[in-house]
Amino acid sequence: MKKVEAIIRPAKLNEVKEALELIGIRGMTVSHVIGCGTQMGLTSVYRGQVYNINLLEKIKIEIVAEDRFIDQIIKKISEAARSGEIGDGKIFVYPVEKAVRIRTGESGPDAI
């Protein structure tokens, strides 16, 4: 099992969700996060004052899936979240040692 973590633009959440549903992925955790990367924020002018906003709002999607689905998940997220502009986000993949469904006690791939 692996955990896929994707940091994307908030405006792309519905597109990513729909793309993942097409391949049967419905279980995910979605969080509102702030951060900065290569984009390094935005510069804005309000009433003549220049403001640097270096922590931008993003969405973090977390999905735990069997190894055989990981490449498909990455492909769908990449396609749906891509705008071609700086700040589209990143995808990280981590190994998952164990998963347990609290309600039933199932573990491993049966728990996801």
Side-chain angles (χ1 to χ4, degrees):
M1 292 180 298
K2 299 246 190 295
K3 178 181 181 182
V4 177
E5 238 179 50
I7 310 294
I8 63 169
R9 296 174 185 270
K12 293 291 190 169
L13 177 60
N14 284 334
E15 289 176 56
V16 170
K17 239 177 75 181
E18 289 169 7
L20 291 169
E21 285 175 0
L22 292 175
I23 59 170
I25 304 297
R26 290 178 180 81
M28 64 184 75
T29 300
V30 177
S31 307
H32 293 273
V33 296
I34 59 172
C36 66
T38 309
Q39 189 176 6
M40 295 305 294
L42 300 171
T43 301
S44 180
V45 178
Y46 179 72
R47 293 188 177 183
Q49 293 289 331
V50 176
Y51 294 92
N52 290 318
I53 304 166
N54 57 1
L55 294 175
L56 301 176
E57 290 187 20
K58 298 289 181 177
I59 295 289
K60 178 165 72 170
I61 300 171
E62 298 170 277
I63 301 166
V64 176
E66 292 181 56
D67 292 0
R68 61 190 169 118
F69 296 116
I70 299 304
D71 289 337
Q72 275 185 294
I73 291 169
I74 292 169
K75 182 179 180 203
K76 288 295 182 182
I77 293 172
S78 295
E79 291 171 353
R82 183 176 294 127
S83 72
E85 301 290 324
I86 194 166
D88 277 348
K90 300 247 183 336
I91 299 173
F92 305 98
V93 180
Y94 307 96
V96 173
E97 261 186 60
K98 190 171 190 174
V100 177
R101 185 183 309 251
I102 295 171
R103 179 178 53 88
T104 63
E106 295 170 295
S107 64
D110 293 335
I112 56 175

